[in-house]
Amino acid sequence: MDIIDPSTGERIESYAEHTQSAVEEALDRANEAFEEWRLRPVREREELLAAAGEVLRENKRTYAETMTREMGKPISQAIAEVEKCAWGCDHYAEHASAYLESEGHPSPPGASVETVYEPLGPVLAVMPWNFPFWQVFRFAAPSLTAGNVGLLKHASNVPGCSMAIEEVFREAGYPEGVFQSLLISSDLVDGILADDRVRAATLTGSGPAGRAVASTAGEHLKKTVLELGGSDPFIVLDDADISAAAEVGAQARNQNGGQSCIAAKRFIVHTDVYHAFLDQFTEAVSSLTVGDPMDEETDVGPQARQDLLEALHGQVEASVEAGARVVTGGEPLDRQGAYYPPTILTEIPEGCPVDAEETFGPVAAVYAAPDENAAIVKANDTEFGLGASIWTEDRERGERLARQIDTGNVYVNQLVKSDPRVPFGGVKESGYGRELSNAGIMEFVNRKTVWVE
């Protein structure tokens, strides 16, 4: 696995892929580790998770630099990602015992009935490159603490992150085999998932990848959680705080180089405030600093790979050819590295790529809507259903409209984000299942009824 620095296009490191025999050994270790790990008291598992959070904090700059070198995330955002992972560890270290507490049920006189929550076994995690630490920890923190063991198949352009995450758990004192990273190609995933030693899988990634994992898992009757793509609407109503919406909207679209499933992608603006919003949004987007991701002042770094930049630009070109208008950006920057500028398109033709497809980069499509009903119709006019953001000064109005949007998450007067305290996931083509909070830890447990006469 060759690591290409996306800010320069130069190869900076190489990792040897694990052989088939190494994978077999890892599966054996996971299976053996599970038999001991499942019996550990939850409190001991919580203490180890708290230690993992400390390892993250102590080494946050080192881990952040690994992220930045491998996929181009601005260093300040990379540090924040490591800190968020530590927060996720803290959350489950504090609350896992309560989440996993057995639940009693009504029963006949002389009998006791309760549901207990037991781990499933080794879980395969197929994870993406865009949030290379957070995506893993939001699976691993609850699942390992519930008593499962983890096998990580990370994206091929972030092997250093993959190995660093394994190091976090090792340094925290986790037993050997409880969390392992597999440096393998995607074509080995089906075989691993079909193996009897693996009991479940979680995937964050593209629709095709999700379908492939779900198909194999279904064939072998194994539980899956899928978090797939998104084309999140960002609705600005006529009574919104336009300045706040524009400022947060610029961040919501361009954070992490726009490479986020829950980034705001389709900006649906009431006609009464359309021009005022567009002017302020354009100003906010144009003020973002594009540059060296190792520079603390950089807001937008390079795209993670050159081929991803080319695919994004192809979507923009096809949309412009169909009739969309470029307000700002729209062309790759003439510099070394995979740099694409923050871009705004308006007058979006129905069915063009930026309208109908997920744009995984700093490209915002802005629409005008005559009223709130039209805005909701447009928000739901997508195959995806991950997140949505609504901007209005009337909180009751925001809550009412939030219930009309077909997504797994709706935020009113805030950008869409994942938080350890609340469930996260999507509907429709954005996947199924939930991560984080109580819902997340319950995805990979056996909810066993125990009836005692």
Side-chain angles (χ1 to χ4, degrees):
M1 293 182 177
D2 290 333
I3 306 306
I4 307 299
D5 183 340
S7 69
T8 64
E10 298 176 353
R11 184 173 68 83
I12 56 174
E13 199 166 355
S14 292
Y15 287 78
E17 291 190 23
H18 286 138
T19 63
Q20 185 63 54
S21 63
V23 171
E24 283 292 318
E25 291 171 3
L27 291 174
D28 279 340
R29 278 194 299 271
N31 204 41
E32 292 168 8
F34 173 63
E35 294 307 318
E36 186 276 333
W37 181 245
R38 68 187 302 180
L39 300 178
R40 284 279 189 105
V42 176
R43 186 63 201 135
E44 289 185 17
R45 298 197 294 255
E46 288 175 326
E47 289 170 353
L48 285 168
L49 187 62
E54 290 307 308
V55 173
L56 285 162
R57 290 188 178 92
E58 291 167 5
N59 298 282
K60 64 183 179 181
R61 181 77 192 194
T62 299
Y63 296 147
E65 289 179 355
T66 300
M67 269 190 267
T68 299
R69 283 195 304 271
E70 292 192 330
M71 53 73 60
K73 188 187 301 287
I75 189 66
S76 58
Q77 296 175 30
I79 291 171
E81 181 172 334
V82 179
E83 291 173 340
K84 187 172 185 177
C85 294
W87 176 32
C89 291
D90 293 345
H91 177 81
Y92 284 103
E94 181 178 354
H95 297 290
S97 290
Y99 288 154
L100 296 168
E101 187 72 33
S102 60
E103 179 184 359
H105 303 286
S107 59
S112 67
V113 183
E114 63 180 1
T115 298
V116 297
Y117 304 103
E118 298 180 347
L120 298 181
V123 181
L124 174 65
V126 182
M127 292 290 130
W129 48 263
N130 58 331
F131 289 91
F133 269 65
W134 174 239
Q135 302 279 15
V136 176
F137 273 90
R138 74 186 194 191
F139 148 73
S143 295
L144 299 188
T145 312
N148 299 295
V149 302
L151 292 158
L152 172 63
K153 189 282 179 216
H154 220 323
S156 60
N157 59 329
V158 289
C161 291
S162 183
M163 299 311 295
I165 293 168
E166 182 179 300
E167 174 189 275
V168 171
F169 290 108
R170 184 168 57 249
E171 292 295 319
Y174 279 70
E176 182 183 10
V178 170
F179 185 92
Q180 299 176 82
S181 289
L182 305 177
L183 300 187
I184 57 172
S185 59
S186 296
D187 58 7
L188 296 183
V189 168
D190 271 2
I192 294 172
L193 185 50
D195 194 290
D196 289 342
R197 289 167 289 186
V198 173
R199 298 309 313 149
T202 181
L203 175 141
T204 298
S206 68
R211 283 186 173 84
V213 165
S215 177
T216 301
E219 183 180 346
H220 296 275
L221 295 179
K222 295 181 180 181
K223 177 69 183 290
T224 54
V225 171
L226 303 180
E227 195 264 278
L228 308 178
S231 187
D232 285 12
F234 188 101
I235 300 171
V236 183
L237 297 174
D238 51 333
D239 63 345
D241 180 334
I242 300 304
S243 295
E247 192 68 31
V248 175
Q251 178 189 358
R253 173 62 280 198
N254 294 287
Q255 183 174 296
N256 200 42
Q259 301 164 123
S260 171
C261 296
I262 55 171
K265 291 164 186 166
R266 296 176 299 129
F267 291 77
I268 303 165
V269 186
H270 195 289
T271 51
D272 289 356
V273 295
Y274 176 84
H275 292 293
F277 174 81
L278 182 59
D279 288 346
Q280 293 189 47
F281 183 52
T282 303
E283 182 180 352
V285 167
S286 299
S287 70
L288 296 171
T289 300
V290 181
D292 180 357
M294 285 294 185
D295 188 334
E296 298 279 356
E297 301 302 313
T298 293
D299 298 308
V300 180
Q303 299 298 279
R305 299 194 310 262
Q306 181 65 30
D307 64 306
L308 297 172
L309 178 149
E310 292 167 0
L312 178 69
H313 186 51
Q315 290 175 303
V316 171
E317 286 185 309
S319 299
V320 171
E321 191 173 305
R325 182 175 74 88
V326 177
V327 176
T328 187
E331 291 287 343
L333 296 181
D334 185 16
R335 59 181 293 176
Q336 186 181 37
Y339 286 93
Y340 203 85
T343 295
I344 298 174
L345 301 180
T346 61
E347 301 172 22
I348 312 296
E350 185 174 352
C352 74
V354 300
D355 178 62
E357 302 171 6
E358 179 178 24
T359 49
F360 215 66
V363 176
V366 184
Y367 304 79
D371 54 46
E372 65 178 39
N373 292 330
I376 296 300
V377 169
K378 185 60 186 176
N380 288 331
D381 184 24
T382 173
E383 64 182 1
F384 298 106
L386 192 52
S389 182
I390 301 174
W391 290 77
T392 172
E393 289 290 81
D394 184 339
R395 294 179 64 177
E396 291 184 3
R397 183 188 191 190
E399 185 173 352
R400 171 173 57 82
L401 296 177
R403 295 176 181 272
Q404 299 177 34
I405 298 179
D406 298 330
T407 59
N409 312 268
V410 181
Y411 283 71
V412 179
N413 298 325
Q414 180 58 272
L415 55 78
V416 179
K417 54 190 175 181
S418 57
D419 182 307
R421 298 166 294 188
V422 296
F424 179 84
V427 296
K428 302 193 291 187
E429 294 294 310
S430 291
Y432 53 74
R434 291 295 179 266
E435 297 176 296
L436 302 174
S437 77
N438 181 52
I441 203 169
M442 289 300 174
E443 287 287 3
F444 296 116
V445 296
N446 173 20
R447 306 179 187 206
K448 180 188 288 185
T449 296
V450 178
W451 182 304
V452 180
E453 287 284 347

